[in-house]
Amino acid sequence: MMKKKVAFYTLGCKLNFSETSTIARDLVEEGFERVDFSENADMYIINTCSVTENADKRFKSIVKQAQKSNPNAFVAAIGCYAQLKPQELAAVDGVDLVLGATEKFKIADYVNDLSKNDFGEVHSCEIEEADFYVGSYAIGDRTRAFLKVQDGCDYKCTYCTIPLARGISRSDTLQNVLNNAAEISSKGIKEIVLTGVNIGDYGKGEFGNKKHEHTFLDLVKALDRVEGIHRLRISSIEPNLLKNETIDFVAQSNSFVPHFHIPLQSGSDAILKLMSRRYLTNLYVDRVKKIREVMPDACIGVDVIVGFPGETEEHFLETYNFLNELDISYLHVFTYSERDNTKATELTGVVPKKVRNKRSKMLRGLSVKKRRAFYEGQLGSTRTVLYEAENKEGYIHGFTENYVKIKTPWNPSLVNTLHEIKLTEIDDDGMVRGVEVGSMVSAQSYN
């Protein structure tokens, strides 16, 4: 009997990618064959995101893409947007099934016959019911794996829908994380990226309650002892939860790389208070100084939101100047967009979209400048690069441990290998080139 084919499309964050990968493995075990989203499939599953306006808008075009490949295919929507606005997604032409925060992990229970529905069938819980943890990790798509260690968030930032979409903060058990990490490394994956909604909050909900047996530092220390892992990278971590002890440990660890991504959101204390963030700019400065003190070559990335309600030109310039003077490596710039059921929509001082876009453009320009300065500071140093799997216009790309993007002429034997190179120049496209230390044979390469 022919296996039913299933294809996936993932919007949004690393966490979504890890969950898509796990759901896909579960369906393969149920007898499905996974194919690429561009191929003809019996079922298309779209893992949605609701962090930005664009992710919402893209959903309809992705459904159309699936229908173009197979007009009779069963289409399911899962994930954050599916939890927040299930009826809206169910009303999209071609959508057959919408599963919320807890139901998505039981998708096999809902797809027995794959017959098309006249209207999208909705199964979504009250978000208070999303109080159990489902571990997941993503492999197979790339040279690094995203390992989920935590889900949900107890913070109440005024612009954010994630607590409404994913529920309370809860964590995987330490032993399960270690088992998953060992499983990933046994498959030849060289780098693991720790991911979650608020990973610095790790430990909370580990046993289905708020009891803390382990902390994020405990997790980091335990993972560093897992054999066979070449690199561990911490994804986004809140500045108030990134403790000095963690920074000190990363500086001398076996596997953790010198790269931190720390959300700031605004360089104005007045705006941070309106956002209900749990720190002010002085704490952020302390975090950056501490990292630079023990890891001078570390890469430090920053999330920032522009155009938040109440952000005057003075507030924005405060943010711009704060970031300009801060010793960071790059920015992820988000243009504020109104989200239903958030307190920010009740605030006065709405910033016109044209102004938001202008501010976003200015900060993106600053990010280019910051990244260039960081890369220039790395020239002449010797780093270890992990090469990725794609051939991009005759080049293979990779990242050093401190997240410098490297390019070299395409050579398939370099895929998923680690090599020591001396960084020599910055190319016209902003990427770095280097020369290998020693010959190809003696290069640090693990298979």
Side-chain angles (χ1 to χ4, degrees), residues 251-316:
Q252 53 82 50
S253 78
N254 300 315
S255 310
F256 279 89
V257 295
H259 176 204
F260 295 89
H261 193 93
I262 316 167
L264 169 67
Q265 312 309 15
S266 177
S268 162
D269 285 344
I271 298 299
L272 288 175
K273 287 172 185 174
L274 284 176
M275 290 176 165
S276 291
R277 299 293 286 162
R278 297 197 176 195
Y279 55 86
L280 296 174
T281 50
N282 58 350
L283 180 132
Y284 200 93
V285 170
D286 288 348
R287 290 289 87 88
V288 172
K289 280 183 178 170
K290 174 65 182 175
I291 293 167
R292 288 281 170 243
E293 190 183 297
V294 294
M295 289 171 274
D297 293 315
C299 181
I300 303 174
V302 182
D303 284 344
V304 61
I305 295 170
V306 296
F308 188 77
E311 184 187 68
T312 62
E313 193 66 20
E314 289 72 25
H315 291 136
F316 170 70

Side-chain angles (χ1 to χ4, degrees), residues 74-194:
F74 189 89
V75 177
I78 62 173
C80 291
Y81 191 23
Q83 174 64 35
L84 290 171
K85 297 194 173 179
Q87 302 300 337
E88 203 170 286
L89 291 192
V92 173
D93 187 42
V95 172
D96 300 291
L97 178 68
V98 179
L99 299 180
T102 61
E103 291 80 9
K104 64 188 172 189
F105 295 108
K106 300 176 282 192
I107 190 166
D109 298 345
Y110 296 99
V111 291
N112 296 326
D113 63 355
L114 298 189
S115 56
K116 295 291 286 176
N117 294 323
D118 292 335
F119 301 100
E121 192 180 303
V122 173
H123 298 274
S124 72
C125 65
E126 293 300 315
I127 199 60
E128 292 76 19
E129 292 169 32
D131 58 359
F132 59 91
Y133 185 86
V134 178
S136 57
Y137 60 85
I139 57 171
D141 306 333
R142 50 199 75 188
T143 48
R144 64 179 62 87
F146 298 136
L147 173 58
K148 175 182 168 185
V149 300
Q150 183 274 341
D151 200 352
C153 188
D154 292 342
Y155 287 9
K156 298 287 186 283
C157 302
T158 55
Y159 52 82
C160 186
T161 57
I162 288 174
L164 300 172
R166 284 188 169 269
I168 58 170
S169 179
R170 53 209 190 274
S171 309
D172 206 347
T173 63
L174 184 60
Q175 192 54 54
N176 199 42
V177 173
L178 298 179
N179 292 346
N180 283 341
E183 194 177 319
I184 290 165
S185 66
S186 74
K187 296 176 190 291
I189 304 280
K190 303 292 187 292
E191 180 174 306
I192 295 175
V193 183
L194 303 185

Side-chain angles (χ1 to χ4, degrees), residues 386-421:
L386 171 60
Y387 287 108
E388 305 202 334
E390 274 185 275
N391 180 345
K392 292 185 178 175
E393 297 175 359
Y395 288 93
I396 188 170
H397 297 157
F399 286 93
T400 64
E401 60 273 46
N402 63 340
Y403 215 56
V404 174
K405 193 168 186 180
I406 305 295
K407 67 183 286 194
T408 199
W410 170 253
N411 177 350
S413 70
L414 293 177
V415 172
N416 197 31
T417 61
L418 291 153
H419 293 262
E420 276 201 334
I421 64 165

Side-chain angles (χ1 to χ4, degrees), residues 357-428:
N357 293 336
K358 179 189 161 197
R359 290 175 185 173
S360 176
K361 195 174 177 183
M362 282 178 71
L363 282 183
R364 287 176 206 276
L366 179 61
S367 181
V368 170
K369 192 176 99 172
K370 286 284 183 183
R371 195 185 296 269
R372 177 88 189 190
F374 175 61
Y375 282 8
E376 283 174 352
Q378 296 303 302
L379 295 181
S381 66
T382 298
R383 301 281 169 214
T384 305
V385 60
L386 171 60
Y387 287 108
E388 305 202 334
E390 274 185 275
N391 180 345
K392 292 185 178 175
E393 297 175 359
Y395 288 93
I396 188 170
H397 297 157
F399 286 93
T400 64
E401 60 273 46
N402 63 340
Y403 215 56
V404 174
K405 193 168 186 180
I406 305 295
K407 67 183 286 194
T408 199
W410 170 253
N411 177 350
S413 70
L414 293 177
V415 172
N416 197 31
T417 61
L418 291 153
H419 293 262
E420 276 201 334
I421 64 165
K422 184 178 181 182
L423 311 188
T424 56
E425 61 180 309
I426 301 174
D427 215 346
D428 293 341

Side-chain angles (χ1 to χ4, degrees), residues 309 336 341-348:
Y336 172 76
N341 302 314
T342 57
K343 285 192 174 176
T345 57
E346 299 163 20
L347 296 175
T348 57

Side-chain angles (χ1 to χ4, degrees), residues 13 22 47 51 62 65 92 120 137 143 204-205 228 336-337 346 349 351 358 383 399 401 409 431:
C13 61
T22 294
N47 195 353
V51 170
I62 296 160
Q65 194 181 323
V92 173
Y137 60 85
T143 48
K204 204 182 269 188
Y336 172 76
S337 60
E346 299 163 20
V351 179
K358 179 189 161 197
R383 301 281 169 214
F399 286 93
E401 60 273 46
M431 280 180 259

